[in-house]
Structure formats: structure tokens, C-alpha cells
Amino acid sequence: MTIQMHTKQSFHTFWCVEHSWGLISVALEAEVKAVLAELNQNGIETIRNGYLPTREVTTAIENVEVKVPRIRSKKSGGVVNFIST
């Protein structure tokens, strides 16, 4: 995902928004990996299955759009609820 700079934004605001998007994305990916490992270790076979629709996350600077990873059960194919902490 590419963030476009608005005409009213300063370069510094744009830079902060872009990097906050990157940090949030990395944190979500790490959290999903940990959840998958824990579920699989407890005998619940799960896999990554793309992303949920883009959501807005409110930061101190402005709202940032992020893609939240989706988790599915291997056996039933059902969605496993992943709620980021």
C-alpha cells in the first residue's frame, strides 16, 4: 500500500504517517505469527488466508489505513477470530 501526500500535509507529517503505517503493519504481522504458532501448538491447525478489508487506525497524527491479516482453520475452513491487542 502506498500513502499519498496531501497538498496540505508537510513532508514531516507525511513521513510520520507513512512510517506509522509501516510500524503498525509489522506489529500486526508479528502478532499474527505468534497467534498462529500458539494455536498450532495447542492442536488447532490454522493458516494465514489473505487480509480482511482495509481498516482505519487512529494515530496521534491522523488516521492510517492498514490491512489486517486473516486466519482460517485448516479442518473446517472457518474463520478464526483474530483481535489485535
Side-chain angles (χ1 to χ4, degrees):
M1 174 180 265
T2 303
I3 299 172
Q4 294 185 357
M5 187 169 158
H6 301 291
T7 55
K8 293 183 180 180
Q9 274 184 331
S10 71
F11 174 76
H12 299 293
T13 302
F14 171 75
W15 186 87
C16 289
V17 168
E18 187 170 335
H19 286 278
S20 64
W21 169 79
L23 289 171
I24 293 168
S25 296
V26 168
L28 281 170
E29 290 294 336
E31 194 172 3
V32 165
K33 283 183 183 179
V35 167
L36 283 172
E38 184 178 335
L39 289 171
N40 288 327
Q41 188 176 34
N42 291 330
I44 303 169
E45 295 183 33
T46 54
I47 56 171
R48 281 282 313 274
N49 188 24
Y51 293 91
L52 295 168
T54 303
R55 297 181 184 192
E56 281 194 351
V57 174
T58 303
T59 67
I61 300 166
E62 66 179 51
N63 292 344
V64 177
E65 289 186 349
V66 294
K67 292 192 294 186
V68 178
R70 180 180 297 177
I71 301 173
R72 290 208 176 265
S73 168
K74 279 186 180 180
K75 290 184 180 180
S76 69
V79 175
V80 176
N81 289 333
F82 164 69
I83 300 172
S84 177
T85 56

